[in-house]
Amino acid sequence: MPNTLALLHGAPDHVIELFKANAIRQEIPSGIEISREGDSCAFFPIVESGSIRVYKLSRDGHEVTLYRIREGESCILTLSCLVRSALFPAHARVEKDCALYLVPAVTFKAWSSTEPFWRDYVIGHLSTTLDRVVGLVENMLFRSVEMRIVDALLEHSREEGRSIAATHQDIANEIGSAREVISRNLKEMEREGLVSLGRGEIRILDRSRLLRMSELL
């Protein structure tokens, strides 16, 4: 194990040894779809680095992001599948080159029953991810498409002048809308001096104003 996961810091020695003995480390490049709707859940994944996007696909082909899995995190839907012996109800794609650990499902369920450390991890992770999903539902119900675009841009940008490597279709997939609607809104935002649009990229020009828009509406 090249690096001990941050989530294992402070864990009892025997928990760390169990993890080292049973977890399988994999490196997966961006763009790879690692789970599809209807797949069985044979492993419990924990991300060491990178990012995985979990999303739903509608009958007409529209995507909507449910949540992302980042360093030290796992997948709440996988956890639900393991508990209920159900099939995976969404899709998961590596968004940024990812290193992750895979714990066999049977092993992880045994740990959750016998090790307080893993029970606490599961409960804490459930709470955090459910908060994100509730936020997603609230955004879908109560925020306009324009505001959801603003939220998506802010999620991907931490500073002024940063270029986001994303197409209009990528943003549409992010928030569950149509590309034409996204393009129309982004062009209006460009006219207002908020962003600059390029081929396959969106540059943030006025992040402070985007933040004010997000907070007010």
Side-chain angles (χ1 to χ4, degrees), residues 122-139:
V122 168
I123 292 170
H125 188 62
L126 278 171
S127 175
T128 300
T129 309
L130 282 174
D131 284 345
R132 292 183 198 167
V133 175
V134 169
L136 168 69
V137 173
E138 289 177 342
N139 279 343

Side-chain angles (χ1 to χ4, degrees), residues 46-111:
I46 302 176
V47 171
E48 178 189 44
S49 63
S51 175
I52 298 172
R53 174 175 171 255
V54 180
Y55 65 97
K56 286 288 288 185
L57 191 63
S58 68
R59 291 182 181 179
D60 58 4
H62 286 159
E63 296 180 8
V64 61
T65 300
L66 298 178
Y67 53 87
R68 287 178 170 81
I69 312 169
R70 297 186 172 96
E71 180 181 347
E73 298 178 343
S74 188
C75 179
I76 189 174
L77 291 179
T78 299
L79 180 59
S80 174
C81 291
L82 294 179
V83 171
R84 299 183 297 115
S85 299
L87 299 178
F88 196 68
H91 297 260
R93 180 180 295 127
V94 176
E95 191 170 54
K96 296 179 182 178
D97 291 352
C98 187
L100 71 160
Y101 292 96
L102 301 174
V103 180
V106 173
T107 301
F108 187 80
K109 286 199 283 188
W111 288 354

Side-chain angles (χ1 to χ4, degrees), residues 2-212:
N3 295 297
T4 303
L5 282 170
L7 72 90
L8 290 175
H9 291 171
D13 290 343
H14 75 278
V15 168
I16 295 174
E17 292 305 315
L18 280 173
F19 192 87
K20 289 180 177 180
N22 289 275
I24 304 165
R25 188 177 186 273
Q26 287 192 353
E27 295 184 2
I28 306 175
S30 63
I32 299 298
E33 188 148 320
I34 56 175
S35 292
R36 292 181 173 86
E37 189 166 357
D39 284 353
S40 59
C41 297
F43 295 92
F44 183 78
I46 302 176
V47 171
E48 178 189 44
S49 63
S51 175
I52 298 172
R53 174 175 171 255
V54 180
Y55 65 97
K56 286 288 288 185
L57 191 63
S58 68
R59 291 182 181 179
D60 58 4
H62 286 159
E63 296 180 8
V64 61
T65 300
L66 298 178
Y67 53 87
R68 287 178 170 81
I69 312 169
R70 297 186 172 96
E71 180 181 347
E73 298 178 343
S74 188
C75 179
I76 189 174
L77 291 179
T78 299
L79 180 59
S80 174
C81 291
L82 294 179
V83 171
R84 299 183 297 115
S85 299
L87 299 178
F88 196 68
H91 297 260
R93 180 180 295 127
V94 176
E95 191 170 54
K96 296 179 182 178
D97 291 352
C98 187
L100 71 160
Y101 292 96
L102 301 174
V103 180
V106 173
T107 301
F108 187 80
K109 286 199 283 188
W111 288 354
S112 299
S113 298
T114 60
E115 297 293 341
F117 178 87
W118 289 111
R119 284 200 299 273
D120 291 345
Y121 170 79
V122 168
I123 292 170
H125 188 62
L126 278 171
S127 175
T128 300
T129 309
L130 282 174
D131 284 345
R132 292 183 198 167
V133 175
V134 169
L136 168 69
V137 173
E138 289 177 342
N139 279 343
M140 295 289 287
L141 290 175
F142 303 121
R143 286 174 79 78
S144 67
V145 170
E146 180 187 15
M147 289 303 99
R148 283 152 54 200
I149 293 172
V150 169
D151 291 342
L153 295 177
L154 291 172
E155 168 72 16
H156 289 284
S157 173
R158 302 298 179 189
E159 57 190 30
E160 296 283 356
R162 176 177 173 180
S163 289
I164 301 169
T167 65
H168 296 191
Q169 185 62 58
D170 291 333
I171 301 297
N173 293 343
E174 178 78 10
I175 70 171
S177 186
R179 182 186 60 78
E180 295 79 7
V181 175
I182 302 302
S183 295
R184 186 165 60 248
N185 278 272
L186 284 174
K187 289 183 185 302
E188 179 60 31
M189 293 170 70
E190 185 176 44
R191 283 192 289 270
E192 295 177 4
L194 294 167
V195 300
S196 174
L197 305 178
R199 189 178 183 86
E201 71 172 14
I202 303 167
R203 180 176 288 275
I204 304 297
L205 299 181
D206 195 341
R207 191 169 191 274
S208 297
R209 191 171 160 203
L210 289 176
L211 282 168
R212 290 196 298 272

